[in-house]
Amino acid sequence: MRRAIATVIFPGFQLLDVAGPTTALEIAERFRPESYELMLMAPGGGEIESSSALKLTAGQLQGGPFDTIIVSGGDVIRSMPAFQEILAWLKRVTSRRTASVCSGAYILAEAGLLDGRRATTHWGNSEDFARRYPKTRLDAERIFIRDGDVWTSAGISAGIDLALALIEDDLGPEIARRTAQQLVVHQRRPGGQSQFSALTELGGRTGRFMDLIEWMRRSLAEPLTVERLADRAAMSPRNFARAFSAETGMTPAKVVERLRLETARRAVETSHSPLEHIAEATGFGDSGRMRRAFIRNFGQPPQALRRLAR
């Protein structure tokens, strides 16, 4: 039985949010014919202009039921009437699962579909999203997240990662692997969004902690406790932890780990230094602990990343 996949767009949608997942599903269909029925829908239907001014022709929002609904990201409030119509439609339509790409998570959250659930969105929206939707347990580090029958993905190209996961869920890992090969992408992308985020480079939303983060980067081999960081910032530990998290969207401990990971990965990929030396210089203490952190964050051990870099 073909699975009805309804992709929802609106004025100002991001073109790759639609093209990426749709292409992945189309390729999977080649390997397993009659698996998917792909539909593109929008409030009112007709020609819908994307954020790049290119247009796609969509049908009107239908009543379903659907196997899967995928809500595109983009400028979600360019047309408030379209935004409100999608919200009302999501609240009454039935589907086996619902997904969003990038800022499409705002639409799911506004419809109440992410209340009490784990979700992700583009790293650049994480602070704003967390403030607007406190009932959602946002994990801005993840490329995509499945929580029950609701799936969310990170920014733009992560829609392909999401689609590959949907394909694996439907048709198994072999079809997903062959689809990824045709797309010339990883079936499971190593690492999380932090490798693309500029927050720690900027020192936070306003740059308030820029000097502190630069000092942290130079002091990775030393113990970097909240108490020591707070003393360096001339703040109490409690106030520092709260202010730092508000500025960067991450806890001090998370930023310390990220800085260590970034520095260690750069050394692993660009130098011939023994892994034990790199682990000591970046504050991991030993290569075993660094290896576990690499697998947890990048999906691969240091040795594999060094081989790929070469």
Side-chain angles (χ1 to χ4, degrees):
M1 182 176 178
R2 301 182 75 184
R3 299 167 178 84
I5 311 292
T7 299
V8 179
I9 61 175
F10 44 82
F13 74 94
Q14 168 57 241
L15 196 60
L16 188 55
D17 287 1
V18 177
T22 299
T23 301
L25 293 164
E26 176 234 326
I27 291 174
E29 170 83 5
R30 298 180 197 171
F31 297 126
R32 187 71 61 78
E34 304 299 314
S35 293
Y36 295 116
E37 179 185 0
L38 304 179
M39 295 171 280
L40 187 64
M41 301 181 185
E47 287 194 344
I48 310 298
E49 185 175 275
S50 70
S51 58
S52 64
L54 295 177
K55 299 177 181 179
L56 293 181
T57 301
Q60 297 187 21
L61 296 175
Q62 299 176 19
F66 304 101
D67 178 86
T68 305
I69 294 170
I70 302 175
V71 179
S72 169
D75 184 358
V76 298
I77 58 171
R78 177 183 292 189
S79 170
M80 285 305 297
F83 180 72
Q84 295 297 334
E85 187 173 340
I86 293 173
L87 291 182
W89 179 77
L90 283 173
K91 292 176 182 179
R92 67 175 183 267
V93 74
T94 58
S95 64
R96 180 173 68 90
R97 62 189 174 192
T98 304
S100 66
V101 181
C102 194
S103 56
Y106 279 81
I107 297 177
L108 299 194
E110 194 68 29
L113 298 179
L114 298 183
D115 288 357
R117 295 182 186 270
R118 293 174 61 247
T120 192
T121 187
H122 192 289
W123 63 263
N125 296 330
S126 60
E127 185 179 342
D128 177 70
F129 187 95
R131 185 175 61 251
R132 290 177 183 271
Y133 304 108
K135 293 181 180 180
T136 301
R137 293 182 288 143
L138 182 69
D139 184 350
E141 171 66 15
R142 299 291 297 276
I143 297 295
F144 70 87
I145 288 177
R146 175 185 185 177
D147 191 326
D149 58 358
V150 178
W151 305 57
T152 52
S153 79
I156 309 179
S157 66
I160 297 174
D161 300 83
L162 171 70
L164 288 171
L166 296 175
I167 291 164
E168 181 170 351
D169 189 54
D170 293 339
L171 307 179
E174 178 61 20
I175 297 296
R177 183 187 65 79
R178 294 171 66 188
T179 301
Q181 286 179 328
Q182 288 294 310
L183 290 167
V184 198
V185 298
H186 289 285
Q187 182 181 346
R188 295 181 182 86
R189 190 193 314 210
Q193 287 202 80
S194 63
Q195 60 189 304
F196 310 109
S197 169
L199 279 177
T200 56
E201 298 296 332
L202 299 174
R205 180 168 49 88
T206 66
R208 176 182 179 183
F209 292 109
M210 182 183 297
D211 291 342
L212 176 64
I213 289 176
E214 283 305 313
W215 176 82
M216 292 161 64
R217 198 188 303 275
R218 296 192 303 269
S219 309
L220 293 177
E222 305 173 23
L224 296 177
T225 63
V226 170
E227 289 74 17
R228 188 178 184 196
L229 297 177
D231 183 66
R232 183 83 184 181
M235 301 172 69
S236 72
R238 185 175 181 180
N239 286 338
F240 167 74
R242 184 185 301 116
F244 189 90
S245 297
E247 276 288 305
T248 66
M250 290 174 282
T251 64
K254 188 66 176 178
V255 170
V256 169
E257 182 186 48
R258 238 190 70 182
L259 291 173
R260 285 180 169 146
L261 283 164
E262 289 175 356
T263 304
R265 180 170 181 169
R266 191 178 306 115
V268 164
E269 293 179 334
T270 62
S271 78
H272 297 281
S273 297
L275 297 182
E276 193 69 36
H277 292 178
I278 295 172
E280 292 174 1
T282 53
F284 284 106
D286 62 73
S287 59
R289 184 180 173 195
M290 183 174 76
R291 184 179 188 278
R292 290 190 293 273
F294 267 56
I295 293 173
R296 185 172 62 251
N297 288 272
F298 302 133
Q300 299 184 66
Q303 297 92 330
L305 292 175
R306 176 167 277 181
R307 286 194 297 269
L308 285 172
R310 292 178 181 176

